[in-house]
Amino acid sequence: MTIVDSDRVCVTNINRQLMATTKTVGQVKVDAIDSLKDKALLILMAMNTKAQFFSSMGAALKLDPTRIRITEFWKVQGDPLARALRKRFKRDGKYPNRKFQCVYSDELLENKTMVSTNRQPIDPDDKGNGTIAHITAIFGFMLAGLVVQDAVK
């Protein structure tokens, strides 16, 4: 199993990630890929291997665990990340060469960037797309379930 990312701990991770504390802000971590370019590249590269591949779409701005689903990437509906990835693949003329399963939610909530009292973003890297611990946990457990089911096959 390979986990790929080049992310760093930021203040918006503290409420939901074990390694994220005020003392670890700025340190390198392995977690979700926040860059559309990097996520698209990871998908394309993984599809060129024989490895089984599963992916999470956007968990940001989700509250309702009953809206979390699993389906094939091209069938994901109501997820802005999946839509953006499909648009990027089309723009670049490069597509995954096989199908893969995704965990996603079709829930759409308003994006509200966290700002300080002087109206500046609390974290300059924060795009306002925070997640809540129970949603990221469910996404992770569902991905783990896909991996276990695949291993049992």
Side-chain angles (χ1 to χ4, degrees):
M1 179 181 298
T2 304
I3 299 174
V4 180
D5 195 9
S6 61
D7 206 358
R8 293 187 178 272
V9 176
C10 72
V11 70
T12 60
N13 302 143
I14 293 172
N15 73 319
R16 67 184 186 281
Q17 296 174 2
L18 187 59
M19 80 306 233
T21 68
T22 55
K23 292 180 181 179
T24 61
V25 169
Q27 292 182 4
V28 175
K29 68 173 182 170
V30 175
D31 202 322
I33 295 177
D34 294 330
S35 162
L36 183 65
K37 173 184 68 120
D38 294 332
K39 182 126 181 150
L41 181 61
L42 173 66
I43 291 168
L44 291 173
M45 291 182 74
M47 294 295 98
N48 288 326
T49 71
K50 292 182 180 182
Q52 183 62 274
F53 180 78
F54 304 107
S55 185
S56 172
M57 292 297 106
L61 298 172
K62 311 298 183 188
L63 292 174
D64 185 351
T66 67
R67 304 281 292 270
I68 301 172
R69 305 276 186 271
I70 297 172
T71 196
E72 195 276 318
F73 172 72
W74 296 100
K75 294 180 181 179
V76 172
Q77 294 184 356
D79 182 276
L81 177 57
R83 183 173 31 257
L85 283 166
R86 289 190 295 257
K87 186 176 180 179
R88 184 173 194 100
F89 292 143
K90 184 176 181 179
R91 183 197 79 187
D92 295 346
K94 296 178 183 176
Y95 299 91
N97 60 15
R98 58 190 167 98
K99 296 178 179 184
F100 60 97
Q101 296 289 304
C102 295
V103 176
Y104 76 101
S105 170
D106 63 359
E107 181 179 24
L108 295 173
L109 299 175
E110 183 182 355
N111 183 350
K112 294 182 179 181
T113 301
M114 293 174 48
V115 294
S116 63
T117 54
N118 65 359
R119 304 298 300 155
Q120 296 299 312
I122 290 175
D123 181 341
D125 295 326
D126 180 25
K127 305 297 185 265
N129 295 327
T131 57
I132 298 177
H134 73 287
I135 297 296
T136 53
I138 295 168
F139 269 58
F141 284 130
M142 291 181 83
L143 283 167
L146 289 171
V147 171
V148 170
Q149 289 172 21
D150 183 65
V152 168
K153 283 186 205 173

